[in-house]
Amino acid sequence: TLLNSVAKSAGAYRTGKPGHNIVMNGNFVSIHCIIPGKYKVQLPGYCKVTNLSTGKHVTSGTRRLTIDAVAGTTYWFALEIKE
């Protein structure tokens, strides 16, 4: 929460509200959910998002991804960022 607040104050890119363990590296996002419920992920640009567990495209051409977070579950997504 502290780092998220500092980043927000500085105007830095943040993936969303604090509360989950999120790793973003290049075109890959891993979200380990700690708090259940809807979670909105701010993407680094307009993206086509693929759920790597199912191989299905979750969204296309959007800047936001919403997941129905289940506590204790990890989600893996591939991003195709459109410039």
Side-chain angles (χ1 to χ4, degrees):
T1 301
L2 174 64
L3 289 178
N4 193 286
S5 296
V6 170
K8 181 178 181 180
S9 296
Y13 169 76
R14 299 171 302 124
T15 56
K17 293 181 181 179
H20 300 291
N21 181 1
I22 300 173
V23 176
M24 183 179 281
N25 186 352
N27 292 20
F28 173 78
V29 179
S30 168
I31 304 170
H32 181 73
C33 298
I34 299 168
I35 302 167
K38 299 280 184 195
Y39 184 69
K40 294 179 182 177
V41 181
Q42 182 67 37
L43 301 172
Y46 289 97
C47 297
K48 177 179 180 182
V49 181
T50 303
N51 181 325
L52 294 175
S53 296
T54 65
K56 295 184 180 181
H57 295 294
V58 180
T59 184
S60 184
T62 185
R63 294 184 60 90
R64 184 165 292 175
L65 167 68
T66 302
I67 63 171
D68 191 13
V70 175
T73 302
T74 302
Y75 301 90
W76 297 277
F77 299 100
L79 307 178
E80 292 178 43
I81 302 170
K82 300 177 181 182
E83 301 291 328

